[in-house]
């Protein structure tokens, strides 16, 4: 009748249990400070959808801001954005 054997179900349950235990252990190690998660210097600050296939992203890379424009054809442009008032006055 059924192609699923009872030992297959047991193996799947053991595997899922091992994943659950690993998740708990990793969360506790991060919370205790023994393991630090990987930190990236690049973050997407904000995203603006201009159309269904065009996006404008504001990126922060090591404290500097950039605009990333992604067009319909997959082309992209990167433009630096000034951060301080002094830079705006100099321009």
């Amino acid at each position: 009748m059924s192609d699923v054997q009872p030992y297959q179900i047991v193996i799947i349950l053991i595997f899922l249990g091992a994943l659950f235990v690993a998740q708990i252990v990793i969360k506790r190690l991060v919370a205790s400070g023994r393991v630090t998660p990987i930190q990236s210097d690049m973050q997407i600050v904000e995203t603006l959808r201009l159309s269904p296939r065009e996006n404008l992203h504001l990126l922060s890379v090591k404290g500097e801001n950039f605009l990333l424009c992604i067009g319909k054809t997959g082309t992209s442009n990167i433009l630096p954005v000034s951060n301080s008032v002094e830079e705006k006055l100099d321009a």
Side-chain angles (χ1 to χ4, degrees):
M1 293 198 269
S2 175
D3 292 336
V4 177
Q5 301 297 322
Y7 72 89
Q8 292 172 327
I9 295 173
V10 171
I11 289 172
I12 291 173
L13 291 175
I14 290 171
F15 178 74
L16 291 175
L19 287 177
F20 184 71
V21 168
Q23 179 185 11
I24 291 173
V25 169
I26 290 171
K27 282 187 178 183
R28 288 190 181 182
L29 288 174
V30 168
S32 68
R34 294 182 189 166
V35 176
T36 57
I38 297 173
Q39 296 293 327
S40 175
D41 291 332
M42 182 170 55
Q43 296 177 349
I44 297 178
V45 177
E46 194 169 342
T47 299
L48 178 64
R49 294 188 58 101
L50 303 174
S51 71
R53 297 180 74 196
E54 294 179 330
N55 295 318
L56 182 65
H57 300 283
L58 178 62
L59 303 174
S60 175
V61 180
K62 294 184 180 181
E64 295 184 36
N65 291 331
F66 297 91
L67 281 176
L68 173 63
C69 306
I70 303 174
K72 294 178 187 177
T73 60
T75 58
S76 60
N77 296 322
I78 298 176
L79 305 168
V81 178
S82 62
N83 293 339
S84 67
V85 175
E86 293 175 6
E87 289 180 17
K88 291 178 184 176
L89 293 176
D90 291 338

